[in-house]
Amino acid sequence: MYKYNFKTSVKSNQVSKITVYPNPLKSGTAIQIEGTGNAYNLIRLIDCQGKILISADSKEEFSNTFNNRVVPTGVYNIHLSGDAASYNVKIIVEQ
């Protein structure tokens, strides 16, 4: 299992670690996004062609939607955006 830790500044000038795991993962596996706090108000799963497959307003909504959807094998970006910053995290989905 791979864990990606990223640092980002937020309005309060605090540094947050963002962790998305497991990676790689199997379709239908629970995905976790940690360390974002309330800094991000939009989370999207985007395929390599730029198509938005999932768009959610919270980590919980994103995780629930991802866990109940069959996502084809491939490489995807999770895009987190908010008032202070935005981030892209690459994930790999296996069958």
Side-chain angles (χ1 to χ4, degrees), residues 19 22 28 34 47 58-59 64 67 70 93:
T19 306
E34 294 183 356
D47 68 11
S58 69
K59 294 182 293 187
N64 290 337
N67 297 345
V70 175
V93 175

Side-chain angles (χ1 to χ4, degrees), residues 15-68:
V15 175
S16 295
K17 287 185 187 176
I18 298 174
T19 306
V20 178
Y21 62 90
N23 193 12
L25 60 97
K26 296 190 182 299
S27 182
T29 301
I31 189 167
Q32 299 294 319
I33 301 172
E34 294 183 356
T36 60
N38 293 324
Y40 301 97
N41 54 17
L42 182 61
I43 303 172
R44 292 179 173 161
L45 180 70
I46 303 170
D47 68 11
C48 62
Q49 296 175 338
K51 181 179 176 186
I52 298 170
L53 302 177
I54 299 173
S55 183
D57 296 330
S58 69
K59 294 182 293 187
E60 293 78 18
E61 181 185 351
F62 180 86
S63 293
N64 290 337
T65 304
F66 186 88
N67 297 345
N68 294 315

Side-chain angles (χ1 to χ4, degrees), residues 67-86:
N67 297 345
N68 294 315
R69 180 171 294 178
V70 175
V71 177
T73 299
V75 177
Y76 298 89
N77 279 310
I78 294 179
H79 179 78
L80 300 98
S81 61
D83 295 335
S86 64

